[in-house]
């Protein structure tokens, strides 16, 4: 009888299992690393601890939202392979080196010839201080001097395309829908010129303008003057939309939120007001500084805002909650602010322009925002007072206009390297520019769509029919909550006392609070017909305690 030989393969099997286990562990580690990187770049704050929530329905809903957010971040991370270019960065080799000590001469020596040509300086003595503005594609720059000099430079060809000497005080200048027209805030009115320098329009309704802003998606030109009136004009029709008095005196600054087209106006008393053409009162009023608000800027996604005031502070705000994230000290009051496409913050103060990196991050919550200890780069200090700083779109270039001219400063990592040619094309031809202008005019948004929440379009109106009728009835009288409680204020647990417990806060003193307190005193006096000291005399010692 033959016996079968049994061969044991246990050692080889265990080796294969351990190798497979190591491969699986490496794949799991790489997947986890990829998830962490995706959440850091594209995440929306910290993850929610779903397991701690007791409510089953709420836990299921939040878990579904977390899964969707995780899938979105992974897809956004995977889409990076489609991007053709990457942004650069200036990094120090050792811990003792500082990037803000690197000078422009050192950067020019270590970049290519095409990039080195983008850094230059123009000496324009006698007409400053100058203000600067770039076109949306970054192909041209507009310079306007306080003493009447206007210059347009075509940066593609490197030549001066338009030059004007208006012999009048100029306060601001802005490009309009393309590089074919621009608006200038002169001493008395706002004027519009074409690319050849020919005057097209004189906007006599915009009297003594100080600052102007252009909303490209709405084709609206807005200005604010010395009298404190904020004025909106439809560029396509030439009609004035609305004229709003700010009622806070002469403004100190004007900027726009590129996400929702809300205008931010800085005032002398330290407040910053947010305005929309659909409201005659400010949507939000923020006490930003202990002095005039000299400058403000909002990032491209409309999440964070940076302000600079006369109190020599620069504050970072979260617009979603209107809370201050951090504040930084400046040696002199900030004159101008600008935020690049890659969230680099440039602030001009005194004779210097400082660039900060990492002041805010959308991947962190307000409490997790780190305070940066040192700036990213620095420029200036040559005795030229900085008037305005503006980033050139899609380029690592910062435009600094000062009292003696203009400087184009190279800042690695500032511009967005990948652009959407259907939105803005830096290399567009004349035919493409004309088609884009016509398309923009046909698809422009209405002023009624300017709101703090631009996503309200398409949502359902959950108001009832009775509420809508009340809003349409212009003759209705507003309900007074105090009158309802007037005849129902008796007893320890009366409706008046309930109202005071729920609504009446001790720290807020307004007209309604004063009326309620007066009603409460009147009710107490009415219920007590006799003072306490007279009860004993009228009723006697035996019956006084029952009075």
């Amino acid at each position: 009888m033959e016996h079968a030989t049994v061969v044991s393969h246990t050692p080889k099997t265990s080796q294969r299992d351990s190798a497979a286990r190591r491969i699986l562990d490496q794949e799991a580690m790489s997947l986890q690393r990829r998830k962490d990187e995706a959440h850091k770049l594209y995440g929306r704050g910290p993850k929610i601890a779903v397991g701690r929530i007791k409510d089953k329905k709420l836990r299921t809903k939040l878990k579904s939202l977390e899964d969707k957010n995780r899938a979105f971040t992974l897809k956004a991370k995977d889409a990076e392979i489609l991007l053709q270019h990457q942004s650069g960065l200036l990094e120090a080799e050792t811990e003792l080196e500082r990037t803000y000590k690197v000078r422009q001469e050192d950067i020019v020596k270590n970049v290519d010839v095409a990039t080195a040509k983008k850094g230059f300086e123009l000496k324009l003595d006698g007409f400053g201080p100058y203000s600067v503005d770039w076109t949306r594609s970054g192909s041209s720059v507009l310079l306007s001097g306080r003493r009447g000099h206007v210059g347009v430079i075509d940066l593609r060809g490197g030549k001066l395309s338009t030059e004007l000497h208006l012999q009048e005080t100029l306060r601001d200048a802005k490009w309009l829908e393309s590089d074919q027209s621009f608006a200038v805030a002169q001493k008395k009115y706002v004027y519009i010129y074409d690319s050849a320098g020919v005057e097209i329009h004189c906007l006599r309704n915009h009297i003594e303008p100080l600052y102007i802003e252009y909303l490209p998606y709405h084709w609206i030109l807005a200005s604010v003057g010395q009298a404190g009136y904020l004025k909106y004009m439809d560029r396509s029709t030439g009609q004035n939309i609305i004229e709003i008095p700010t009622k806070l005196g002469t403004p100190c600054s004007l900027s726009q939120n590129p996400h929702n087209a809300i205008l931010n106006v800085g005032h002398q008393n330290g407040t910053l007001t947010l305005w929309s053409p659909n409201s005659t009162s400010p949507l939000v009023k923020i006490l930003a500084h202990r002095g005039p608000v000299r400058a403000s800027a909002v990032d491209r996604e409309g999440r964070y805002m940076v302000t600079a005031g006369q109190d020599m502070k620069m504050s970072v705000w979260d617009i979603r909650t209107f809370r201050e994230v951090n504040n930084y000290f400046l040696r002199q009051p900030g004159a101008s602010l600008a935020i690049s496409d890659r969230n680099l913050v440039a602030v001009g103060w005194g004779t210097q322009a400082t660039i900060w990196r990492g002041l805010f991050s959308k991947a962190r919550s307000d409490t997790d925002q780190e305070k940066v200890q040192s700036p990213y780069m620095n420029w200036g200090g040559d005795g030229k007072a900085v008037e305005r700083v503006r980033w050139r779109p899609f380029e690592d270039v910062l435009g600094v206009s000062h009292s003696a001219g203009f400087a184009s400063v190279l800042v690695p990592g500032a511009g967005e390297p990948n652009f959407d040619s259907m939105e803005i094309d830096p290399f567009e031809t004349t035919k493409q520019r004309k088609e884009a202008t016509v398309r923009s005019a046909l698809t422009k948004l209405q002023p009624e769509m300017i709101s703090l929440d631009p996503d309200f379009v398409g949502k359902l109106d959950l108001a009832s029919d009775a509420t809508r009728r009340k809003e349409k009835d212009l003759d209705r009288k507003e309900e007074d909550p105090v009158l309802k409680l007037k005849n129902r204020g008796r007893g320890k647990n009366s409706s008046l006392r309930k109202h005071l417990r729920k609504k009446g806060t001790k720290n807020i003193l307004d007209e309604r609070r004063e009326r309620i307190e007066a009603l409460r005193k009147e009710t107490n006096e009415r219920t007590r017909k006799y003072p306490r000291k007279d009860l004993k005399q009228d009723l006697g010692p035996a019956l006084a305690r029952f009075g």
Side-chain angles (χ1 to χ4, degrees), residues 205-241:
N205 190 41
H206 298 251
I207 303 171
E208 295 183 347
L210 291 179
Y211 308 98
I212 54 177
E213 279 288 342
Y214 183 70
L215 310 179
Y217 296 104
H218 303 77
W219 280 51
I220 291 177
L221 180 65
S223 72
V224 61
Q226 288 188 353
Y229 280 82
L230 182 62
K231 302 176 182 181
Y232 290 82
M233 187 204 74
D234 192 337
R235 171 85 172 99
S236 59
T237 61
Q239 296 179 349
N240 295 317
I241 300 173

Side-chain angles (χ1 to χ4, degrees), residues 500-516:
L500 288 173
R501 284 197 298 267
K502 291 181 180 180
K503 303 291 183 181
T505 55
K506 296 181 180 180
N507 299 328
I508 299 176
L509 293 175
D510 53 2
E511 184 181 358
R512 192 186 68 173
R513 170 79 179 183
E514 293 177 355
R515 292 179 60 193
I516 290 176

Side-chain angles (χ1 to χ4, degrees), residues 168-188:
E168 193 178 14
T169 302
L170 308 183
R171 297 189 178 95
D172 201 358
K174 284 286 179 184
W175 287 107
L176 298 181
E177 60 274 356
S178 66
D179 59 353
Q180 298 300 300
S181 59
F182 57 90
V184 180
Q186 297 181 203
K187 183 178 181 180
K188 197 171 183 181

Side-chain angles (χ1 to χ4, degrees), residues 253 289 292-297 306-315 330 333-337 347-348:
S253 62
H289 294 277
V293 181
R294 293 297 180 191
S296 63
V306 184
T307 60
Q310 191 69 23
D311 56 354
M312 294 188 293
K313 284 187 178 181
M314 181 180 67
S315 301
L330 303 175
S336 179
L337 281 166
V347 53

Side-chain angles (χ1 to χ4, degrees), residues 14 39 61 64 74 81 86 169 515 546:
S14 61
H39 181 75
K61 188 175 181 180
S64 174
L74 289 175
I81 196 173
Q86 293 181 353
T169 302
R515 292 179 60 193
F546 301 107

